[in-house]
Amino acid sequence: MEKKETKYIFVTGGVTSSLGKGIVAASLGLLLKARGYRVTIQKLDPYINIDPGTLNPYEHGECYVTEDGAETDLDLGHYERFLNHPTTQANNVTTGRIYQSVIEKERRGDFLGKTVQIIPHITNEIKRRITMLGRTGDYDIIITEIGGTVGDIESLPFIEAVRQLRYDLGKHNSLMIHLTLVPYLAASGELKTKPTQHSVRYLMESGIQADVLVCRTEHTIPKETLSKLAQFCNVKLGSVIQCQDAETIYDVPLMLREQNFDEIALEGLNLPIEKDPNLTNWKKFLHNHKNPEHEVEIALVGKYISLQDSYKSITEAFVHAGSQIKTKVKINWIYSGDLTKENTAEILGNADGILVAPGFGDRGLEGKIAACKYARENNVPLLGICLGMQMMVIEFARNVLGYKDAESAETNSRAEHPVISLMDEQKNISYKGGTMRLGNWKCNLKEGSKIREIYGKSTIEERHRHRYEFNNEYYEEFEKSSFTPGGVNPDTSLVETIEYKDHPFYIGVQFHPEYKSTVASPHPLFKEFLKAALEHNNNKKK
């Protein structure tokens, strides 16, 4: 059987950041996959950090984690949620990782004493990383999103590498999509095309001609304006696509499909257009999402709530699970630093469910502990994730087991009762980047536990990102209480889940279930949590 040549689509942005390159890339990937093509998406990030693992969530948003343990940009979460297919370390490359690799080769003598330069050494490494997934033979089409905007100093090596690679690949083996902004000036009542024209010119000055323009806009772009953009930007009229502000990101694939975005891409790659994409399940998801029969309010208690992208996977997991049970999820963002023992009832009193979010450091911990206590004593459904589970353990140790000074070793290394302790393999680690317990780990779920009933199986694999764990010195004491470990790692004996028996839903998990939730496969833990919240809401009305 003849091996098919992998095709490449590149997505760049201009005028401003945060236009939605990741959503456009994911939407195109969904449409092409729905036609039967094997598709994956990768992200090239211009920043010099090796990965986002050490970046503050306020600066970069959520750090996403892949099954193989890579800490990546949050756009990879969009890729997985849209395509329902896992990504790997190869799907996210930063400038820092490129330079690190080239410098390591130079130190080994791989360049035989030659002067190491941006061209060809850095650009060659970028090209190698771009085509790495293509060499596996697993994909027909690889979509590559280039972070930042055209004209940024940081992006120049990536743009140059793409220019070279398009020449190497040959005609019809690559496609260039440029996402730009067509702003509306209220004072003159006009949509302005000049920012897009200048952005495309920047791209052309780098030696690249855009094949397709995707124009972000608040208002419908008139035909004459689309024609003007095509003429001035040297793009075919039918290849100028408008991407108007949508009610939800999940509308975007259908909006682009109405303009034959996927067909334009396939024509540019000289690939057959044999059938329409099968979007039946996607449309059903959207219909349920927009036409809910119920509504619940979830209090999300965290420390990064001023930038909601810090919890992007969690909020999207609520969307997926809510759609499946036809329930609208209203999230009430609660800064944990505002919670005290005295005001939890006032702040959390209307919540149908409480999610205690993951995080690091000591800021706002007592507020999370207060939220756990309120939920436990008032039978409010609660889901604790990672640090959230640890706060549930501390709260129970203090208020039920009698260890008034129970703490986490993360915040007090000399705690007399460190019910949360540093993992053994972390004790001699000084480098912070990429050294946590990361990626998929197995967990055996106990017979008769609620968590096993939710998953419907005895062994699961979930993604992790943490250094601290439940201290097994207290295992037997918790096991004898009503707050018991329900899941344990078979290789390390680390406690992965814990649940309160005398409660409608009070479950903590050390892993991050939100990373595995997709439109096609909502996570069962979020679905059951919302069901419990819905029941709590109904009971309040009686």
Side-chain angles (χ1 to χ4, degrees):
M1 184 177 176
E2 185 181 354
K3 182 181 176 182
K4 290 183 179 179
E5 194 168 13
T6 303
K7 308 277 188 170
Y8 293 85
I9 297 174
F10 300 99
V11 181
T12 57
V15 184
T16 179
S17 59
S18 301
L19 282 181
K21 292 191 299 296
I23 299 300
V24 169
S27 297
L28 179 57
L30 169 70
L31 295 174
L32 296 174
K33 186 178 179 183
R35 287 180 175 273
Y37 286 99
R38 300 173 301 161
V39 184
T40 192
I41 313 176
Q42 62 184 175
K43 176 75 179 287
L44 306 182
D45 267 315
Y47 53 78
I48 299 177
N49 304 67
I50 300 297
D51 57 48
T54 55
L55 289 175
N56 190 317
Y58 282 130
E59 184 163 336
H60 196 74
E62 173 188 74
C63 176
Y64 192 75
V65 177
T66 61
E67 287 187 350
D68 62 348
E71 293 174 294
T72 73
D73 182 79
L74 61 79
D75 275 320
L76 268 73
H78 292 312
Y79 305 162
E80 291 198 12
R81 288 188 281 272
F82 277 57
L83 297 186
N84 196 36
H85 184 77
T87 54
T88 69
Q89 296 193 37
N91 290 80
N92 193 202
V93 182
T94 67
T95 293
R97 197 172 292 281
I98 295 293
Y99 274 82
Q100 183 186 49
S101 178
V102 171
I103 290 169
E104 286 174 353
K105 289 178 181 178
E106 187 274 334
R107 293 289 83 188
R108 290 198 304 265
D110 291 5
F111 300 127
L112 303 177
K114 290 182 181 293
T115 302
V116 179
Q117 297 175 291
I118 303 294
I119 303 172
H121 302 99
I122 296 298
T123 52
N124 281 349
E125 179 64 17
I126 294 171
K127 289 190 290 183
R128 187 184 74 82
R129 295 292 183 124
I130 291 174
T131 57
M132 186 184 295
L133 288 166
R135 292 193 296 273
T136 65
D138 295 334
Y139 304 104
D140 302 314
I141 301 169
I142 294 174
I143 302 173
T144 302
E145 176 196 347
I146 300 174
T149 57
V150 170
D152 295 345
I153 292 174
E154 297 92 339
S155 298
L156 290 176
F158 290 102
I159 298 297
E160 170 61 20
V162 169
R163 183 195 68 78
Q164 294 178 21
L165 185 57
R166 294 196 77 195
Y167 178 81
D168 297 340
L169 291 170
K171 193 175 182 181
H172 297 306
N173 287 325
S174 71
L175 189 80
M176 199 77 194
I177 296 172
H178 189 55
L179 176 64
T180 185
L181 178 68
V182 179
Y184 178 79
L185 295 188
S188 61
E190 291 179 294
L191 287 165
K192 307 303 290 185
T193 64
K194 272 292 186 288
T196 294
Q197 293 179 46
H198 289 308
S199 179
V200 171
R201 191 199 309 173
Y202 267 128
L203 194 60
M204 293 179 71
E205 286 174 356
S206 300
I208 297 175
Q209 168 65 54
D211 299 305
V212 182
L213 279 184
V214 178
C215 303
R216 276 297 305 275
T217 174
E218 296 178 2
H219 302 272
T220 301
I221 303 175
K223 287 184 179 179
E224 56 270 23
T225 305
L226 294 174
S227 179
K228 180 180 178 181
L229 283 166
Q231 183 178 19
F232 279 80
C233 297
N234 200 28
V235 175
K236 288 192 296 185
L237 177 57
S239 296
V240 181
I241 306 294
Q242 58 177 313
C243 189
Q244 201 166 338
D245 290 355
E247 182 182 343
T248 166
I249 59 172
Y250 300 106
D251 282 312
V252 176
L254 301 183
M255 291 170 55
L256 296 177
R257 171 66 195 128
E258 287 177 0
Q259 300 171 77
N260 300 316
F261 187 40
D262 48 334
E263 293 183 10
I264 293 167
L266 291 173
E267 285 176 4
L269 296 172
N270 198 27
L271 287 171
I273 305 171
E274 296 175 348
K275 57 184 178 179
D276 288 337
N278 183 357
L279 299 170
T280 303
N281 291 336
W282 191 270
K283 291 176 180 178
K284 180 181 178 182
F285 154 77
L286 258 180
H287 178 269
N288 289 346
H289 175 57
K290 291 184 176 183
N291 299 278
E293 298 175 1
H294 318 284
E295 181 175 337
V296 294
E297 180 177 318
I298 302 297
L300 194 154
V301 180
K303 60 186 284 190
Y304 306 117
I305 54 104
S306 62
L307 182 65
Q308 295 173 7
D309 270 1
S310 301
Y311 304 109
K312 192 63 177 175
S313 290
I314 291 174
T315 58
E316 297 310 309
F318 279 133
V319 172
H320 308 153
S323 172
Q324 193 165 81
I325 62 172
K326 298 183 178 180
T327 299
K328 178 182 178 181
V329 181
K330 178 186 175 184
I331 297 179
N332 185 13
W333 299 88
I334 307 294
Y335 172 51
S336 57
D338 290 338
L339 285 175
T340 64
K341 295 176 183 178
E342 292 74 27
N343 66 13
T344 49
E346 178 186 352
I347 295 176
L348 301 176
N350 291 327
D352 302 312
I354 299 169
L355 186 141
V356 181
F360 297 91
D362 59 358
R363 182 166 56 88
L365 292 191
E366 291 301 322
K368 290 186 175 185
I369 292 170
C372 295
K373 183 175 187 292
Y374 173 81
R376 181 178 60 79
E377 293 180 343
N378 292 277
N379 285 332
V380 180
L382 183 141
L383 176 61
I385 297 177
C386 197
L387 181 66
M389 183 196 100
Q390 296 174 7
M391 297 303 100
M392 294 167 74
V393 170
I394 292 173
E395 187 280 322
F396 192 84
R398 287 181 182 178
N399 298 313
V400 179
L401 299 183
Y403 297 120
K404 298 297 182 184
D405 54 357
E407 289 188 72
S408 168
E410 181 178 7
T411 55
N412 183 0
S413 59
R414 297 182 179 180
E416 185 175 349
H417 293 290
V419 290
I420 303 298
S421 61
L422 185 64
M423 298 170 63
D424 287 339
E425 62 265 33
Q426 294 286 324
K427 290 179 179 177
N428 296 318
I429 289 176
S430 56
Y431 277 51
K432 299 299 183 186
T435 57
M436 284 186 277
R437 188 185 187 210
L438 294 165
N440 263 6
W441 289 76
K442 284 186 178 180
C443 174
N444 289 342
L445 304 179
K446 289 185 179 179
E447 186 78 43
S449 65
K450 188 174 184 65
I451 193 91
R452 179 162 172 169
E453 179 186 336
I454 289 171
Y455 276 91
K457 49 188 175 183
S458 59
T459 301
I460 60 172
E461 287 191 6
E462 291 281 3
R463 303 182 202 183
H464 294 68
R465 186 173 184 253
H466 67 104
R467 297 183 192 280
Y468 291 81
E469 63 179 13
F470 178 92
N471 188 342
N472 276 346
E473 290 182 12
Y474 297 87
Y475 186 96
E476 287 188 12
E477 198 163 353
F478 272 83
E479 179 73 13
K480 293 175 183 177
S481 73
S482 54
F483 194 35
T484 61
V488 174
N489 180 274
D491 301 315
T492 63
S493 298
L494 298 180
V495 170
E496 299 277 10
T497 77
I498 194 160
E499 59 189 62
Y500 191 41
K501 294 178 181 178
D502 306 323
H503 198 283
F505 192 105
Y506 194 82
I507 294 176
V509 293
Q510 186 59 69
F511 47 78
H512 289 259
E514 69 272 21
Y515 291 147
K516 283 202 169 182
S517 181
T518 70
V519 169
S521 303
H523 199 286
L525 201 53
F526 278 85
K527 188 170 74 171
E528 293 305 315
F529 173 55
L530 289 183
K531 283 183 179 179
L534 191 58
E535 186 174 347
H536 182 75
N537 177 280
N538 291 334
N539 289 337
K540 286 194 300 183
K541 295 176 181 177
K542 291 178 181 178

